[in-house]
Structures are given as structure tokens and as C-alpha cells.
Amino acid sequence: MNLLEIENLKTYFFTEAGVVKAVDDVTLSVERGCTVGLVGESGSGKSVTAQSVLRIVPRPGKIIGGKILFNGEDLLLKKEEEMRKYRGKKISLIFQDPTSSLNPLFTIGSQLADIVIEHEKVKKEEALDRVIKALRIVKLPDPEHAIYQYPHQFSGGMKQRICIARALLLNPELLFADEPTTNLDVTIQAQIIALLKDLQRELGMTLVMITHDMGIVAEMCKYVVVLYAGNVMESGSIEEIFERPHPYTEALLKAVPRLDETRKLISIPGNIPNLIDPPSGCRFHPRCQYAIDLCKEKKPPLEDVGNSHFISCHRWRELQGGRS
Amino acid sequence: MGLAKYIIRRAIYMVPLIIGISLVSFLVMYAAGDPIQLATAGNPSITEAQRQFLREYYGLNDPIPVQYLRWLDHFVHGDFGKSLYGGRPVNEIISSLVWETAKLQLISILLAFFISIPAGVYSAVKQRSAADYTVSSVAIFGISVPVFWFGIVLILVFSYHLGWLPSAGAHGAPYLWPVFGIKNEFLDELAHLVLPVTVLTFANLAYNVRLLRAGMLEVLRQDYILAARASGIPERKVLYKYALKNAITPLLTLLGLSIGAMLAGAPVTETVFSWPGLGRAYVTASLRLDFPLIMGITMIITIMILIANLITDLVYAWVDPRVTID
């Protein structure tokens, strides 16, 4: 049994301008102990998917359909108080911006210890010991002193280490890392990626890496799920996806600069669509170089094309034939 | 930077401020007119010589710098002089009124502060719900409605028609107001407080709720709130511990300002309820150009505001570790 199975998840935002279908019919699964990449442009529904699993989608967002099976149990059927016990304890989330995701008015020790106290009903001293241990795991220097400091006293990289420690505090089974390196310097990015890789291996944790960086995906992930405009375009092993990509993934890969090649970067024409009134049929068709009339009319189903590779494209098979 | 050193430095900075404010008030007051002329205007039998004598008696004929220095000399010795009306020492007048005003204002300000916390938080959490619109409407009503009108309506309803509560004064002695048939001084004092406190709380509450609601709406969008929820912190704690502490700073500023200005804060309410307070005395003194009393009350208010500002700054630094005092 997979640790996490998301089936036909729909999370919509009921804004004054209209209903934004941020996550629309997303199906994916995450195998226990694996690192899975959740890839897509900004606004493709990656973060909302993670927030939906924890059921912390901010207003006016609402999960309106689907199933989220965690260890076989549907999280969407849990009562709020039951669900609270999953958050931080069984499923954790690391945010994109460490500066804004730490409360500026509380010491590191007090905001992290609170999490231990709320879940395990321990005394403050014991909770602080656990916090120090977690800070040591993420290699934060001098954790005994750090717990008495405030977030603004740390650098961005150190803050992200603290955020990782917060997510790991209660040894969760599943960790979502939502673009954890986007707001960091390049050198710090490499350190944080290395840290996450080590932690995943040492703790045997299941990691869902949310990113738009194909380089990070290639380095860390065994499986990849590609989202576009709230829909799953494809999912499969890293080899399958790099070898036989969906037209969208193909375009995405061509837009990644490489050091070993001198070629022009090809950007994807157009913009990510307005999700209040998304394109008909395949949501990628207005920007797809292979699009035909069928793509506009009918939404392609997510099909198993072998080797656990799932593709949502009318023309993929035909294009593969032509390519090989 | 030591706390004591900081407070001492701020206190030293207050000295030129106090002198400056007193100087400006003094000059403005003298520009306003002649108190002797005003006081004797209704008396046809008074002669110019008698007026001149009165001016001489109160030292009003001396050059203004001399008068100011004389006032300053008395002020630094803690003496505000005597009222032009009745000759009571200003210190005595102020000390007899200050407690009544402080009592009325402190209760109202604190009540408004503590009521606004759940109201503001609730209204932000339930943004655009019927409850939010209700809270906001009541708040806007509180901001817009004139204090004297609201006070008179309350007096009409609860004193005149229902006869439940006294309409004037701070004390009923010797005729104590019966509360559920019981007569004692404490209950009498309480009964007299209800209506003016209601009016003032309502007026203060409105600003507090609007400020806190706006602050909470801003804070609730922050990642650290989502992160607290994602860590399994119960919603009540997320709101009242993690969000509130970030949203409450504007409210603390307002609280500091209100407490600083409280002695001058409610002349209208005090007048409507015939409250024996400093606000009403201040207005009366200004209309009569009772120079020593005006200066006395002005200086008390100035000092209160300066001290309240200092305390507000200290509280700020205590709430927000990013604020340093130096």
C-alpha cells in the first residue's frame, strides 16, 4: 500500500472574481520511503495540493471533492480535532520562505516546543530538549543558545534549517518540502538540498519535493508528478519522464539551462491560464506545439502507458512513434 | 543599552518638551483675551480703577516674559497658583477632580480594549460573514454617533423613562442610589458609572475593533500562521497566541495614546452626565480664561501623555524583539 494516495482531488478558491479551480481532479500516489517530485510552474497547484493533504487550505479555498488516503485512511473524512493530530506529527510541511514562516515575535525554542507540547503533552523542559535535538540534526550551530533567540537573529539558510527542524520535530512519516530553496542564495540552496537528501536517507522518511526546478528533481527524486494548471499532466519514474516526456514536460525541460550544451533556451509561449475559466479539453493545448482539434475538445484521461508511467495526452503515443 | 539608562535619557528629553509646550500654551492663552475684562463684563457697577486693581493683584500687568518666568518658578516647585474664580489653589482643584475622571476613563478604556480583542479576532476570522458585518456596523455606528447624543438617549431611556440608573454626578450621597433595593456607597458609585462608562466604552471600542480586525486580517494571511496550523497547533492558540501578538501593536499604541490623553479625553461626556471631572473643569476654565487652572490642567495632561508615550515604547520593545530601545 502506498503511503499517500490522492484521488480526483478538487480544491477550489471561491473568490469574488469567480471560482478558481486551483487543483482540479488531481490523482497521484506516493510510495513509502521514496522522494517524489511535484513539478510545475507557479500557479499550477503544487502548494495547494500539499495544503489540501494537511487540510490547511486558507480561505476562501475549499476542498470540494476527491479522496486523500494516508495509510489507507481518508483524511477528508476525519474530524478537525483528529486531523490536527496528523499535522506536524505524521505529515509535515516546509515552506518556501523561511523568513515569513517563522513567527517573528516568539523565540525559536518557544514556537518549536509548543508543537511538541501540543502533540505529546510533555513538560516544557522536555519539549525544549526535543527541540535542541532536532536543531542538532539539521546542523544548526549552538542549538542550546539558539532556542533563546528570535528568527530575525538568523540568516536565511539558518532559518530554513530551523524550519526543517520544526517539520522533523515529531518524526513525521511524510514530509512536503514546498520549494524550500527558492528564496535562498545558490550556495545555501546546495547545502539545504544536501541536508534534505541526507535526512531523507537517514530517517527513511517519505519526501514530496515541490519544485519548479528540474535540476533538483533529477538530483533528488525517484518519481515525478508534473502538474499544469491544476491538472496532472504525467507521473512516473524519473527515467521514464526524462526519456519519454509529455509535451508539457518536454517544453519544461527545454527551458532549463545546461552547462554542457550550447543551445538556445526555448521558453514555453504564452502564460499559465486563468483558472477561473480554464481552457477546454487539455488545459495545456493553447501553448502546446503539438495541439490538434481533439485536444481542444476533449480532456485526455490519465492513462497508464507502461512502466508505471501515467500520461494525460491525446498525441503522446503517436509522437513517441515518430521520435523513436 | 540598559533599561534604566534609557528611561533616564527619555526623562531628560521631556524637560525641553514640557518647557516648550508650557511656553506655547502660555502665549496662546494670553493672546485669547483679558480674563478680568471677561469676568467683570456682566457687572455694570465695576469701575476701570477696580479692574486695574484686580489686574495688578493677579500680576497680569507685568510683562509677559516676567509672568511666564514667575509661573515657571512656581511650577518647578509644584505650585500651579490659585484659580481666578474663588481663589482655590489649582493643585487642590485638580486633585479633587482627577480621580473621578481617571476612574471613568480607565474603566472605559480598559473595557473597550478587552472587549475589542474577541470581537476583532472573531470578526477577522469570520470575514464577510453576517457576524463580521454586525460587528463592523456596530463599530461604525460607535465611531459616527456623537457622544452627547448617545449620552442623552441613554439618559432619556434608562434614567427618565425606566428610572433604573442615575443621570448625573459621580455620587448620590447623601441620597444613595438603590441598586436592587440595596443602598451602599460602592453600589451607588457603580450605578453612577454605568451610563457614562457605556458611552465612552462604545466610542473607544469602535476604533479598537476596526484596528484589531484590520491587523488580524493582515496577520492571518502570513505564512507563519499557516505554518502554525500545519504543525498541529490548535486553532484557538493559533489565533490568540501566535496571530494576536502580531496584530495587537496598533491597539497598544491606541491604548497608550488614550491613557495619556485620558484626563482631557471626555469633556463632552462629563458635561452630559454632569460628571465632576477634569475634562469639564478644563472646558469651563478655558471659557473663563482662568489662566492658572488652564495652565495647571494643560501641564498635567502634557506630563501624562509624555509618560504614556514612554511606557508605550517600552511595551513595544517588550512585545516585539525586533524593536530595540536606544
Side-chain angles (χ1 to χ4, degrees):
Chain A
M1 186 174 59
N2 285 323
L3 181 62
L4 178 71
E5 300 256 12
I6 298 180
E7 289 173 20
N8 309 101
L9 178 69
K10 289 182 182 185
T11 304
Y12 292 177
F13 286 77
F14 297 86
T15 67
E16 273 170 14
V19 180
V20 179
K21 301 172 184 83
V23 170
D24 206 6
D25 219 4
V26 163
T27 296
L28 61 89
S29 56
V30 176
E31 197 183 315
R32 190 184 293 277
C34 274
T35 300
V36 174
L38 197 52
V39 182
E41 292 167 77
S42 319
S44 59
K46 299 165 298 190
S47 301
V48 178
T49 304
Q51 289 167 8
S52 300
V53 173
L54 282 160
R55 281 179 39 197
I56 54 162
V57 182
R59 276 158 54 97
K62 228 177 162 178
I63 301 170
I64 61 151
K67 279 184 184 168
I68 297 173
L69 301 173
F70 181 77
N71 277 327
E73 287 183 68
D74 191 348
L75 296 181
L76 297 183
L77 301 177
K78 300 265 176 220
K79 289 201 185 77
E80 176 56 28
E81 179 53 25
E82 263 178 282
M83 190 60 219
R84 186 182 72 74
K85 290 175 185 152
Y86 278 81
R87 297 182 190 129
K89 172 121 174 127
K90 291 181 176 163
I91 309 169
S92 277
L93 176 57
I94 300 169
F95 288 80
Q96 182 173 356
D97 181 1
T99 301
S100 65
S101 71
L102 289 168
N103 198 314
L105 304 189
F106 294 86
T107 60
I108 301 303
S110 84
Q111 49 187 309
L112 267 61
D114 235 6
I115 298 168
V116 184
I117 293 166
E118 285 302 336
H119 284 285
E120 318 232 306
K121 310 281 170 240
V122 295
K123 288 220 173 64
K124 179 134 197 197
E125 295 73 47
E126 198 185 329
L128 280 174
D129 280 346
R130 297 271 294 273
V131 172
I132 292 170
K133 265 183 213 140
L135 292 174
R136 202 168 280 138
I137 291 174
V138 298
K139 302 188 180 71
L140 188 84
D142 198 7
E144 285 85 358
H145 179 60
I147 57 169
Y148 299 108
Q149 288 186 296
Y150 289 92
H152 71 277
Q153 292 167 293
F154 296 91
S155 67
M158 288 303 152
K159 273 186 261 196
Q160 195 57 296
R161 283 175 196 268
I162 293 166
C163 289
I164 294 171
R166 169 171 65 186
L168 297 178
L169 215 44
L170 302 167
N171 296 319
E173 290 172 59
L174 176 62
L175 176 63
F176 284 98
D178 189 352
E179 308 211 26
T181 59
T182 308
N183 280 350
L184 302 174
D185 295 344
V186 184
T187 46
I188 309 293
Q189 278 186 19
Q191 291 175 17
I192 295 291
I193 293 292
L195 175 69
L196 280 172
K197 258 172 100 171
D198 289 351
L199 290 173
Q200 193 273 332
R201 204 176 45 232
E202 282 163 28
L203 306 173
M205 207 169 36
T206 310
L207 177 62
V208 176
M209 193 70 196
I210 299 173
T211 180
H212 56 252
D213 185 335
M214 294 307 268
I216 292 177
V217 172
E219 194 182 329
M220 293 186 73
C221 305
K222 195 171 160 199
Y223 291 99
V224 184
V225 178
V226 180
L227 286 180
Y228 179 78
N231 286 166
V232 176
M233 291 288 121
E234 71 173 326
S235 68
S237 70
I238 187 97
E239 295 83 8
E240 278 288 327
I241 277 176
F242 277 82
E243 291 296 316
R244 286 179 282 278
H246 182 282
Y248 172 62
T249 317
E250 186 190 324
L252 213 55
L253 289 170
K254 279 184 187 155
V256 180
R258 293 181 59 147
L259 289 175
D260 56 348
E261 267 178 36
T262 47
R263 63 170 169 88
K264 258 195 160 165
L265 280 184
I266 302 163
S267 63
I268 307 175
N271 285 313
I272 197 151
N274 170 3
L275 293 179
I276 291 176
D277 184 20
S280 59
C282 170
R283 285 190 178 177
F284 185 56
H285 86 258
R287 301 172 75 186
C288 181
Q289 58 168 325
Y290 308 114
I292 52 171
D293 286 346
L294 178 64
C295 302
K296 197 189 284 185
E297 284 150 22
K298 193 169 165 274
K299 185 173 176 172
L302 194 63
E303 280 180 306
D304 189 348
V305 296
N307 293 335
S308 307
H309 191 181
F310 291 82
I311 291 264
S312 164
C313 182
H314 292 303
R315 298 201 63 202
W316 183 79
R317 275 172 212 275
E318 176 194 338
L319 292 168
Q320 290 310 307
R323 205 172 284 159
S324 55
Chain B
M1 180 89 204
L3 184 64
K5 218 169 138 192
Y6 174 76
I7 294 173
I8 290 167
R9 210 185 53 198
R10 283 283 300 262
I12 292 169
Y13 286 160
M14 283 179 194
V15 173
L17 265 174
I18 291 172
I19 292 176
I21 291 167
S22 70
L23 188 61
V24 171
S25 320
F26 208 81
L27 292 176
V28 169
M29 206 171 59
Y30 272 80
D34 175 9
I36 303 302
Q37 192 69 40
L38 195 70
T40 55
N43 186 350
S45 59
I46 200 159
T47 64
E48 192 51 41
Q50 284 169 313
R51 284 197 179 117
Q52 215 39 51
F53 173 78
L54 283 171
R55 288 192 191 104
E56 201 61 49
Y57 177 77
Y58 288 109
L60 295 168
N61 277 339
D62 299 330
I64 289 175
V66 174
Q67 289 191 43
Y68 176 71
L69 289 175
R70 188 166 55 220
W71 175 85
L72 195 63
D73 178 46
H74 285 138
F75 169 61
V76 296
H77 291 96
D79 175 16
F80 286 122
K82 287 179 180 149
S83 167
L84 300 185
Y85 288 79
R88 259 178 95 195
V90 170
N91 298 36
E92 202 185 298
I93 298 177
I94 291 177
S95 57
S96 74
L97 300 176
V98 77
W99 165 240
E100 295 302 340
T101 293
K103 180 175 76 181
L104 187 62
Q105 287 274 45
L106 265 183
I107 294 175
S108 312
I109 290 169
L110 293 177
L111 217 54
F113 182 78
F114 287 110
I115 294 173
S116 69
I117 288 175
V121 170
Y122 187 77
S123 155
V125 171
K126 303 270 175 199
Q127 192 196 0
R128 302 213 179 91
S129 69
D132 176 31
Y133 288 129
T134 310
V135 171
S136 295
S137 309
V138 172
I140 288 168
F141 182 72
I143 291 174
S144 347
V145 73
V147 166
F148 67 87
W149 179 85
F150 188 48
I152 290 169
V153 169
L154 287 185
I155 290 174
L156 267 177
V157 175
F158 293 99
S159 300
Y160 185 74
H161 288 295
L162 296 172
W164 290 352
L165 291 162
S167 64
H171 303 274
Y175 306 105
L176 294 177
W177 188 269
V179 179
F180 302 113
I182 304 160
K183 285 188 180 184
N184 72 40
E185 286 197 13
F186 177 71
L187 288 177
D188 172 72
E189 204 170 333
L190 224 53
H192 281 85
L193 274 168
V194 174
L195 292 184
V197 162
T198 307
V199 170
L200 286 175
T201 305
F202 194 53
N204 284 318
L205 186 64
Y207 286 104
N208 282 313
V209 170
R210 299 290 298 169
L211 263 181
L212 187 62
R213 178 180 178 274
M216 283 297 286
L217 283 176
E218 175 66 32
V219 169
L220 288 176
R221 283 193 278 118
Q222 301 296 319
D223 272 355
Y224 55 79
I225 295 302
L226 204 57
R229 287 189 183 130
S231 308
I233 304 287
E235 189 62 15
R236 175 171 284 272
K237 203 169 187 177
V238 172
L239 293 178
Y240 285 95
K241 182 174 176 183
Y242 291 107
L244 186 61
K245 196 172 178 187
N246 281 279
I248 209 165
T249 31
L251 216 60
L252 292 175
T253 312
L254 187 64
L255 183 70
L257 286 174
S258 313
I259 289 181
M262 73 177 178
L263 294 183
V268 177
T269 310
E270 289 186 0
T271 306
V272 170
F273 290 98
S274 309
W275 195 263
L278 212 55
R280 198 158 63 106
Y282 198 23
V283 173
T284 315
S286 304
L287 291 175
R288 289 163 156 185
L289 294 178
D290 188 349
F291 289 174
L293 189 52
I294 296 175
M295 283 309 287
I297 300 177
T298 306
M299 291 333 287
I300 294 289
I301 292 168
T302 304
I303 294 167
M304 280 284 293
I305 290 176
L306 291 175
I307 293 174
N309 284 353
L310 172 59
I311 295 174
T312 308
D313 287 350
L314 293 176
V315 170
Y316 248 67
W318 175 64
V319 169
D320 191 340
R322 291 165 300 182
V323 176
T324 49
I325 46 168
D326 55 25

